[in-house]
Amino acid sequence: MSLVISHLARRFGATPVLRGIDLEVRQGELVALLGPSGSGKTTLLRIIAGLDWPDAGGLSFDGADWLAKSAAERRIGFVFQHYALFPHMSVRDNIAFGLTVLPRAQRPGKAQIAATVDGLLRFLQIDGLADRYPAELSGGQRQRVALGRAMATGPRVLLLDEPFGALDAQVRRDLRRWLRGVHDSAGTTTIFVTHDQEEAFELADRVVVMNGGVIEQIGRPDEIYDHPATPFVARFLGLTVELPVTMRAGRAQAAGLDLTALPRRALPDGPATLFLRPADIEVLPDTAAPFRVTEAASTGALLRIVAESGTGCRIEAELPRRDARGLSVGQPVGLRIVAGQIFPGGGASAAAPAEPSRTLKEALS
Ligand SMILES: Nc1ncnc2c1ncn2[C@@H]1O[C@H](COP(=O)(O)OP(=O)(O)OP(=O)(O)O)[C@@H](O)[C@H]1O
Ligand SMILES: [Mg+2]
């Protein structure tokens, strides 16, 4: 029983917002859609929910064509990005709502609805809140009620659009773990939208990185973190240092940099761009090295160092302050790069939007 999205496209007027989305979500899986604002995440979710229709492409669940079905027939639970509970209804009535508006033939009896709601209140650990009104709840509690409301009709697929967006970091972290537990015990298939990388990585079985209406990469969180497939994903995941290098027999070289810790790469000889995180640079005092420390600023735990070479190369590194004893402005230093991702081409071509480099088949294998 999987959800299969194929070559899905949607434009608003002349603007393409989804440009050929291919994605398969397996039953019981929790997938996070991660991407910057405007990348098409909500649009994709609305199409899956049956609140909007694509201009081209397919959408099926368990082999059935969902584009031929109404939103109600799809049996989906949806928590919207800017979700509002019904303010004049108690928590209990909010959660029961979806059941009370089912067509008469499918609607359970009053006693059964009450039992379902009681079960959900316990399951979601909000049974003490049943008779309160939304205005009497904290933001985190409201989101639990919203999830209860989405789950009441026994949806096969749960769609959550930034459900924790407005909450503070600690509450988000708690709700995230709670949601993972709820998902696992309910056995639903869940698609979760966020633009928070940490949230996506902690919650999801697989992360789908979107940019400008295309999928840039699909993979397990660690896989994406360690091996971003495109320059966009690399930058989005914090590999903000970009260095021109030259490939020779699979090895990256650049004047004054020790790149020997990087694994050999199957790339053609010639110009390439190395993307790395500021924390992936070791800064070592070395009187013979061409770099000099030009700035050093402490953030408390970390020391942020800027090193520049005589040829105009400027690199920002970040190291634990306790490892940085003895580094000071003006000092000559050697730079050793311990991890990074290399993409073919010099600055300009590496910066151009790359084609998604992994096919759906590769990503699922
Ligand atoms: N009904 C609409 N009419 C015209 N343009 C729209 C409509 N809905 C969305 N768009 C445009 O489509 C693009 C994608 O929007 P979408 O809401 O899917 O982005 P998103 O990834 O959810 O962003 P965010 O993280 O800000 O919620 C945006 O440029 C948006 O302005
Ligand atoms: Mg959105």
Side-chain angles (χ1 to χ4, degrees):
M1 279 221 302
S2 58
L3 180 76
V4 181
I5 298 164
S6 45
H7 312 311
L8 207 74
R10 178 73 171 118
R11 53 174 65 239
F12 290 114
T15 314
V17 169
L18 296 176
R19 300 184 288 153
I21 299 288
D22 287 301
L23 174 65
E24 184 168 346
V25 183
R26 292 179 284 259
Q27 190 192 3
E29 199 176 18
L30 198 165
V31 164
L33 299 183
L34 175 67
S37 190
S39 54
K41 306 179 299 291
T42 295
T43 304
L44 179 57
L45 225 58
R46 286 174 49 82
I47 290 174
I48 299 170
L51 303 173
D52 187 21
W53 264 262
D55 299 310
L59 171 68
S60 68
F61 183 81
D62 196 14
D65 178 8
W66 263 14
L67 294 179
K69 290 186 188 288
S70 70
E73 288 168 328
R74 296 183 199 184
R75 287 191 40 215
I76 275 182
F78 201 135
V79 177
F80 293 90
Q81 187 167 9
H82 304 289
Y83 194 79
L85 297 169
F86 297 123
H88 56 287
M89 285 187 194
S90 67
V91 164
R92 180 184 297 284
D93 291 343
N94 264 287
I95 293 179
F97 180 79
L99 293 167
T100 60
V101 297
L102 284 175
R104 188 172 287 279
Q106 294 162 29
R107 195 188 316 154
K110 270 209 168 83
Q112 203 190 329
I113 291 180
T116 303
V117 173
D118 279 340
L120 268 170
L121 286 164
R122 275 194 304 276
F123 180 62
L124 299 173
Q125 299 155 23
I126 47 175
D127 30 348
L129 307 176
D131 298 316
R132 291 213 205 159
Y133 286 82
E136 301 166 335
L137 303 174
S138 74
Q141 290 167 337
R142 267 179 231 165
Q143 292 311 90
R144 293 176 193 226
V145 177
L147 197 64
R149 205 175 109 147
M151 291 174 75
T153 51
R156 295 178 293 184
V157 176
L158 261 179
L159 303 175
L160 311 176
D161 193 353
E162 306 222 25
F164 311 143
L167 304 171
D168 72 42
Q170 183 55 46
V171 177
R172 284 176 85 118
R173 271 195 291 275
D174 293 346
L175 279 182
R176 209 184 282 167
R177 285 187 201 120
W178 169 84
L179 174 68
R180 182 72 224 197
V182 167
H183 165 91
D184 288 345
S185 34
T188 46
T189 302
T190 303
I191 303 179
F192 181 96
V193 166
T194 181
H195 59 251
D196 178 336
Q197 209 202 107
E198 189 189 304
E199 189 158 276
F201 280 37
E202 185 179 338
L203 248 178
D205 298 310
R206 282 189 305 151
V207 174
V208 175
V209 184
M210 289 182 66
N211 174 37
V214 300
I215 292 177
E216 295 260 343
Q217 189 171 9
I218 302 174
R220 284 179 290 103
D222 289 351
E223 194 174 52
I224 290 186
Y225 190 85
D226 293 340
H227 303 289
T230 65
F232 171 82
V233 179
R235 289 190 195 106
F236 194 66
L237 297 190
L239 285 77
T240 51
V241 180
E242 296 176 29
L243 299 173
V245 296
T246 305
M247 297 305 294
R248 293 262 177 276
R251 292 249 170 236
Q253 301 176 350
L257 295 178
D258 178 355
L259 301 174
T260 52
L262 298 177
R264 207 175 273 277
R265 293 287 310 272
L267 288 175
D269 284 355
T273 305
L274 170 63
F275 287 67
L276 55 128
R277 297 186 171 90
D280 292 334
I281 305 170
E282 283 177 10
V283 184
L284 308 159
D286 178 356
T287 45
F291 283 91
R292 247 168 224 285
V293 177
T294 55
E295 287 172 41
S298 164
T299 65
L302 297 174
L303 194 69
R304 196 164 289 140
I305 298 256
V306 176
E308 290 181 57
S309 73
T311 57
C313 185
R314 184 178 187 279
I315 296 181
E316 214 178 298
E318 215 170 65
L319 50 160
R321 204 152 52 88
R322 63 172 173 274
D323 295 350
R325 269 189 285 273
L327 286 177
S328 57
V329 172
Q331 188 171 27
V333 286
L335 301 178
R336 187 176 132 83
I337 309 299
V338 294
Q341 201 67 12
I342 302 168
F343 295 102
S349 59
E355 286 300 306
S357 66
R358 304 189 67 189
T359 63
L360 178 65
K361 220 166 147 194
E362 277 169 346
L364 292 175
S365 64

